[in-house]
């Protein structure tokens, strides 16, 4: 029998198609009337739609959100927030825009309404990662949690396929890491398994037809579930490693998660065969609810999970090597050292040499072999 603790976070979640029409009501529901709109350049057309819907409630717009939440960008946005006397922020875009909203809330306590258009899941976690002087630091606090999350599937239809794929694997990584976390619980187990099934089933369909609303719905709901899991557990090797690679080597966030996932799975697999069986069941399930019942087929396939995930990445056109993301081979030992410099819970003991071996495999883009010790 395991002992578990589950922390649920308060948030109002609105999900559907066309739900963005409710944005003004959602601002008023918080008793706010002066919204600063936050966006990134690529999501500008979608953000424009939200500004129109906000009407006079929109008192300013900041389009400079950037990946890994650089503190200089936050400082610029803070000036505008104060200048316009905004009493809430409405963030439209991916994890970068959500990160900026959280950084502003951390500094000022301003209310946040997040409209996510990628699958990063940041909108439902109490985690804020910020980058200063090339180092990414992460804090976890309920103070950065948004008041309202408004999902509108229609706003994700324009998300380019490559970003959809890598962002989808970012979400899958949240679910995977929740399953073997020290804080895994029955709630996280169910949500994570369901998220993996939905994402694995929908990713190829989004690749074939990016405007497939059913596939986009599966992706967005899967991302919500995966992010919700991540929000209630601590992060292990996979996330720590990706944060190091993103913050200190400036690698793109979701692409890095995609490349590293099969290799972090392969590293941890010998320590958690039961979790690998559950993931195999979820991957096989193709979108149906799997809950707590790894099938016998799943148990057999558990040892192949890292390779199955690698194959799903390759067939959906995702990146498979750190080399193609621009990582220098000479930087691998430093990255391994940084990622193991502080202790954190992980199912398998972490050594700098072990993590460097993982990174070398990921750098080459090697397909993981079946886990031998199950
Ligand atoms: P992102 O927010 O940078 O978005 C990726 C690209 O997609 C951007 O160019 C963006 O403008 C574009 N885009 C977004 N929506 C679009 C749309 N509808 N149409 C066209 N283009 C669109 O990337 P991301 O992967 O979503 O987020 C990465 C950031 O989020 C990183 O800084 C990462 O650290 C953070 N993050 C934090 C958490 C957390 O829990 N704190 C979780 C995941 C990610």
């Amino acid at each position: 029998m395991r002992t578990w603790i589950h922390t649920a976070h308060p948030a109002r979640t609105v999900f559907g198609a066309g739900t963005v029409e409710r944005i003004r009501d959602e601002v008023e529901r918080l008793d706010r009337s002066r919204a600063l709109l936050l966006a990134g350049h690529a999501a500008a057309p979608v953000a424009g739609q939200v500004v129109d819907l906000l009407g006079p409630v929109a008192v300013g717009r900041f389009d400079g959100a950037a990946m890994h939440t650089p503190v200089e960008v936050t400082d610029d946005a803070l000036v505008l927030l104060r200048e316009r006397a905004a009493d809430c922020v409405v963030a439209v875009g991916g994890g970068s825009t959500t990160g900026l909203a959280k950084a502003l809330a951390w500094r000022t306590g301003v209310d946040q309404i997040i409209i996510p258009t990628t699958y990063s899941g940041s909108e439902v976690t109490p985690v804020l990662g910020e980058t200063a002087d090339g180092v990414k630091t992460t804090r976890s606090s309920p103070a950065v949690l948004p008041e309202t999350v408004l999902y509108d599937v229609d706003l994700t239809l324009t998300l380019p396929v490559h970003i959809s794929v890598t962002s989808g694997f970012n979400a899958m990584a949240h679910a995977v890491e929740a399953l073997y976390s020290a804080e895994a619980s029955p709630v996280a187990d169910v949500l994570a398994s369901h998220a993996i099934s939905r994402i694995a089933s929908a990713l190829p369909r989004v690749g074939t037809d990016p405007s497939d609303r059913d596939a986009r719905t599966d992706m967005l709901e899967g991302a919500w579930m995966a992010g919700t899991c991540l929000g209630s557990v601590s992060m292990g090797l996979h996330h720590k490693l990706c944060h190091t690679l993103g913050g200190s080597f400036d690698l793109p966030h979701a692409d890095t998660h995609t490349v590293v996932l099969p290799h972090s799975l392969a590293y941890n697999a010998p320590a958690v065969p039961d979790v690998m069986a559950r993931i195999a069941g979820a991957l096989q399930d193709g979108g149906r609810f799997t809950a707590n019942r790894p099938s016998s087929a799943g148990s057999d396939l558990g040892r192949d999970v890292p390779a199955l995930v690698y194959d799903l990445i390759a067939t959906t056109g995702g990146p498979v090597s750190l080399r193609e993301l621009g990582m220098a081979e000479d930087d691998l030992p430093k990255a391994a050292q940084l990622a193991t410099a502080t202790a954190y819970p992980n199912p398998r003991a972490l050594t700098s040499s072990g993590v460097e071996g993982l990174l070398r495999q990921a750098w080459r883009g090697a397909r993981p072999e079946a886990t031998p010790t199950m």
Side-chain angles (χ1 to χ4, degrees):
M1 197 199 108
R2 68 175 169 174
T3 301
W4 56 267
I5 296 172
H6 175 69
T7 307
H9 300 295
R12 174 177 165 87
T13 308
V14 178
F15 192 101
T19 41
V20 73
E21 300 278 344
R22 300 179 189 212
I23 184 60
R24 206 161 149 172
D25 291 346
E26 291 299 330
V27 171
E28 284 163 8
R29 194 185 158 275
L30 292 175
D31 206 16
R32 300 290 175 234
S33 57
R34 298 180 63 80
L36 176 66
L37 187 112
L38 306 174
H41 293 293
V46 173
Q49 196 182 331
V50 179
V51 169
D52 292 345
L53 288 165
L54 283 169
V57 170
V59 294
R61 175 171 173 166
F62 183 86
D63 278 313
M67 201 166 279
H68 305 309
T69 327
V71 290
E72 317 82 70
V73 173
T74 303
D75 289 343
D76 288 347
L78 193 53
V79 170
L80 192 61
L81 183 84
R82 290 191 168 135
E83 206 177 273
R84 303 292 164 94
D87 58 15
C88 66
V89 292
V90 174
V92 188
S96 300
T97 313
T98 304
L100 175 59
K102 286 172 153 181
L104 291 171
W106 174 252
R107 285 159 178 76
T108 65
V110 71
D111 282 354
Q112 309 168 64
I113 300 178
I114 309 290
I115 307 178
T117 61
T118 71
Y119 309 123
S120 82
S122 174
E123 65 279 1
V124 283
T125 79
V127 178
L128 167 63
E130 296 186 273
T131 308
D133 301 324
V135 179
K136 188 164 183 174
T137 48
T138 302
R139 69 167 52 84
S140 183
S141 165
V144 304
L145 278 168
E147 275 64 26
T148 305
V149 181
L150 197 161
Y151 292 102
D152 187 335
V153 172
D154 288 349
L155 300 189
T156 66
L157 300 178
T158 55
L159 190 66
V161 169
H162 177 83
I163 301 175
S164 304
V165 168
T166 54
S167 193
F169 282 106
N170 185 195
M172 189 183 282
H174 300 338
V176 163
E177 199 126 85
L179 285 172
Y180 61 60
S181 156
E183 288 94 16
S185 71
V187 175
D189 287 354
V190 171
L191 283 177
S193 300
H194 201 177
I196 292 168
S197 291
R198 295 284 285 275
I199 294 166
S201 137
L203 270 172
R205 291 187 279 137
V206 167
T208 308
D209 178 7
S211 65
D212 179 339
R213 194 177 266 115
D214 290 340
R216 291 291 192 178
T217 300
D218 282 344
M219 288 300 299
L220 203 55
E221 283 187 349
W224 170 72
M225 290 176 214
T228 302
C229 291
L230 188 73
S232 64
V233 302
S234 62
M235 301 183 200
L237 170 65
H238 176 83
H239 281 77
K240 298 286 181 187
L241 195 48
C242 291
H243 286 175
T244 301
L245 295 171
S248 302
F249 300 92
D250 205 26
L251 295 193
H253 178 85
D255 291 72
T256 305
H257 273 270
T258 306
V259 169
V260 171
L261 184 58
H263 303 283
S264 53
L265 275 165
Y267 186 91
N268 280 329
V272 281
D274 50 334
V275 169
M276 292 302 128
R278 187 189 300 279
I279 297 171
L283 287 172
Q284 280 228 310
D285 196 66
R288 282 183 300 114
F289 183 62
T290 54
N292 273 337
R293 302 183 309 273
S295 64
S296 57
S299 301
D300 293 342
L301 280 173
R303 53 196 301 274
D304 288 326
V305 159
L308 288 172
V309 171
Y310 180 97
D311 292 344
L312 188 59
I313 295 167
T315 53
T316 51
V320 292
S321 72
L322 292 176
R323 178 170 40 190
E324 71 191 273
L325 301 188
M327 176 107 192
E329 191 174 12
D330 289 349
D331 282 336
L332 298 179
K334 188 179 165 204
Q337 219 173 22
L338 285 171
T340 52
T342 48
Y344 51 85
N346 189 64
R348 187 174 161 198
L350 295 169
T351 61
S352 185
S353 62
V355 172
E356 189 181 326
L358 178 171
L359 282 171
R360 291 206 178 279
Q361 292 290 93
W363 188 83
R364 287 176 35 232
R367 182 177 188 266
E369 288 175 8
T371 309
T373 54
M374 286 185 180

